[in-house]
């Protein structure tokens, strides 16, 4: 690690302590890195604890035992909050309702024979218990239902949770057709505030969907951000640019995504990488321009394999 990297990590950690405790919770301050907790199994609590210690304040999980240990997310954030003297409102917790098809048959977190709206309510109750909280900051529909009638039955039940004060905002995940996102948005009483999707070539990196999200002030969150795009940040020009910026290639790609208005899921299990990522985010949020101009952005963007990747690129003076 270079001395400049060490300085950036130190300054990032210092900035994290200087920011008001509620700063990380304001969605208008997006994009932000969110700590992703999928596939961490029995080590989930340890990694969530480390992530919060490193400076993460947004934590993503799901009521889906097949891929998440939501209960250990609750354990991890509570332990970190106690050590750092953080209040519940200093953290932003996001979870998801997952339909029947997303679960292993022997581990479904609600009564599979209950009416759909009851399953949704039971899932939320389970999440509140697992996460040791009386409210959820952001609750997502983990994927489309098989038909629109079921979709809106789920959505109306999620809206009910907002009305009851159990949930602050609701959103969508794994919606890859623009027409579906638009239809869901146009026909909802409480509009989705989040769309979380896999960010990869097969979906064209959601260019049109991201454009719609920007227009409607929906936070676009990405997962598989690094794993699905290695060719974009591992080619020689990108490696040279990362070296020039004093960043790892992975940090450079996170910076690229955030310059496009994307809030990436960051699932690092390495404490040093966690600290480096938070230092990078704090540099960006303090107003530093990581990319000097659109030409530097294009070094990454043109290697994505998706044409018109920059359709919603900010003006150069806003990068």
């Amino acid at each position: 690690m270079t001395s400049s990297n060490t300085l950036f990590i130190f300054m990032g950690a210092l900035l994290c302590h200087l920011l008001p405790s509620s700063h990380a919770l304001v969605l208008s301050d997006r994009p932000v890195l969110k700590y992703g907790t999928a596939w961490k199994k029995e080590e989930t609590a340890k990694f969530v604890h480390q992530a919060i210690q490193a400076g993460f304040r947004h934590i993503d999980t799901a009521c889906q035992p097949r891929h998440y240990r939501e209960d250990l997310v609750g354990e991890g954030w509570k332990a970190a909050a106690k050590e750092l003297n953080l209040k519940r409102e200093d953290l932003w917790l996001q979870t998801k309702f997952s339909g029947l098809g997303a679960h292993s048959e022997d581990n479904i977190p609600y009564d599979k024979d209950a009416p759909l709206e009851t399953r949704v309510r039971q899932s939320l109750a389970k999440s509140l218990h697992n996460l040791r909280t009386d409210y959820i900051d952001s609750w997502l529909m983990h994927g489309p239902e098989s038909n629109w009638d079921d979709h809106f039955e789920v959505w109306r039940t999620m809206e009910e949770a907002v009305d009851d004060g159990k949930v602050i905002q609701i959103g969508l995940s794994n919606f890859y057709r623009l027409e579906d996102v638009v239809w869901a948005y146009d026909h909802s009483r409480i509009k989705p505030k989040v769309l979380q999707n896999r960010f990869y070539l097969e979906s064209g990196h959601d260019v049109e969907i991201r454009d719609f999200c920007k227009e409607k002030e929906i936070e676009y969150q990405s997962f598989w951000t690094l794993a699905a795009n290695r060719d974009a940040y591992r080619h020689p020009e990108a490696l040279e640019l990362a070296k020039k910026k004093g960043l790892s290639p992975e940090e450079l790609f996170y910076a690229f995504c955030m310059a496009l208005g994307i809030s990436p899921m960051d699932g690092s299990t390495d404490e040093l990488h966690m600290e480096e990522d938070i230092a990078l985010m704090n540099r960006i949020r303090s107003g530093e321009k990581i990319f000097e101009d659109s030409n530097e952005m294009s070094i990454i963007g043109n290697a994505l394999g998706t044409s018109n990747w920059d359709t919603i690129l900010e003006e150069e003076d806003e990068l």
Side-chain angles (χ1 to χ4, degrees):
M1 182 172 61
T2 66
S3 58
S4 60
N5 275 14
T6 303
L7 176 60
F8 287 142
I9 292 172
F10 171 77
M11 292 303 294
L14 178 61
L15 181 58
C16 186
H17 287 293
L18 291 176
L19 289 171
S21 63
S22 62
H23 186 85
L25 308 180
V26 182
L27 276 178
S28 61
D29 287 343
R30 64 180 185 259
V32 296
L33 291 171
K34 300 179 187 294
Y35 190 68
T37 61
W39 309 302
K40 292 177 173 58
K41 300 182 180 180
E42 289 75 16
E43 293 188 290
T44 297
K46 179 183 75 172
F47 291 134
V48 169
H49 180 272
Q50 291 174 354
I52 294 173
Q53 289 278 2
F56 283 91
R57 294 295 179 264
H58 291 64
I59 310 296
D60 174 83
T61 186
C63 192
Q64 185 194 27
R66 185 179 189 176
H67 297 309
Y68 295 83
R69 285 295 305 271
E70 191 182 46
D71 58 324
L72 296 183
V73 173
E75 179 182 319
W77 86 255
K78 288 290 284 188
K82 182 177 181 180
E83 290 178 13
L84 296 175
N85 197 29
L86 297 174
K87 300 177 182 177
R88 167 64 182 89
E89 56 267 28
D90 294 326
L91 295 166
W92 190 91
L93 302 179
Q94 176 171 272
T95 191
K96 309 173 189 78
F97 164 76
S98 306
L100 277 174
H103 298 288
S104 301
E105 290 186 7
D106 61 347
N107 200 355
I108 300 174
Y110 46 72
D111 180 359
K112 66 182 180 65
D113 297 317
L116 181 54
E117 64 179 28
T118 301
R119 283 180 252 151
V120 178
R121 293 191 187 104
Q122 289 177 347
S123 178
L124 177 59
K126 187 72 170 178
S127 290
L128 290 168
H129 174 77
N130 282 342
L131 293 173
R132 309 185 186 192
T133 182
D134 57 5
Y135 72 95
I136 302 295
D137 295 278
S138 185
W139 191 29
L140 309 185
M141 182 187 295
H142 207 167
E145 292 293 316
S146 60
N147 59 74
W148 282 112
D149 286 342
D150 285 353
H151 170 93
F152 286 111
E153 186 168 358
V154 171
W155 193 258
R156 284 192 296 271
T157 309
M158 295 175 72
E159 290 176 328
E160 174 189 288
V162 176
D163 294 335
D164 292 344
K166 296 177 181 178
V167 172
I168 305 302
Q169 67 176 33
I170 50 181
L172 305 169
S173 181
N174 292 299
F175 279 67
Y176 295 97
R177 298 187 346 147
L178 176 62
E179 56 266 39
D180 290 345
V181 176
V182 173
W183 184 266
Y185 183 91
D186 286 345
H187 293 83
S188 59
R189 175 174 62 87
I190 297 178
K191 304 301 182 184
K193 293 294 186 182
V194 170
L195 176 62
Q196 184 187 111
N197 273 357
R198 183 182 292 113
F199 189 64
Y200 69 148
L201 179 60
E202 286 80 352
S203 67
H205 292 94
D206 283 343
V207 169
E208 293 181 336
I209 288 176
R210 288 189 286 115
D211 197 17
F212 179 79
C213 287
K214 181 181 179 183
E215 176 189 344
K216 300 300 183 181
E217 298 186 348
I218 299 169
E219 182 183 30
Y220 181 91
Q221 301 174 2
S222 65
F223 66 93
W224 275 24
T225 311
L226 298 179
N229 297 285
R230 287 190 176 93
D231 290 346
Y233 60 85
R234 282 286 180 181
H235 63 89
E237 279 190 280
L239 294 175
E240 183 62 30
L241 182 61
K243 183 178 180 180
K244 173 185 174 183
K245 302 293 182 180
L247 300 172
S248 70
E250 291 78 11
E251 288 174 296
L252 185 69
F253 195 70
Y254 279 147
F256 169 83
C257 290
M258 286 188 278
L260 292 178
I262 296 169
S263 291
M265 294 295 115
D266 184 334
S268 178
T269 58
D270 182 285
E271 288 185 83
L272 177 59
H273 290 165
M274 291 177 185
E275 293 171 357
E276 290 174 339
D277 294 346
I278 289 298
L280 168 67
M281 184 182 74
N282 287 334
R283 289 167 60 188
I284 293 171
R285 295 181 66 189
S286 67
E288 182 178 343
K289 297 178 182 180
I290 303 298
F291 295 92
E292 295 178 4
D293 52 38
S294 59
N295 290 328
E296 286 193 342
M297 288 283 289
S298 295
I299 291 174
I300 306 297
N302 290 345
L304 286 172
T306 292
S307 60
N308 300 320
W309 60 269
D310 59 346
T311 185
I312 60 171
L313 184 62
E314 300 290 342
E315 296 297 328
E316 289 183 18
D317 61 353
E318 295 179 352
L319 284 175

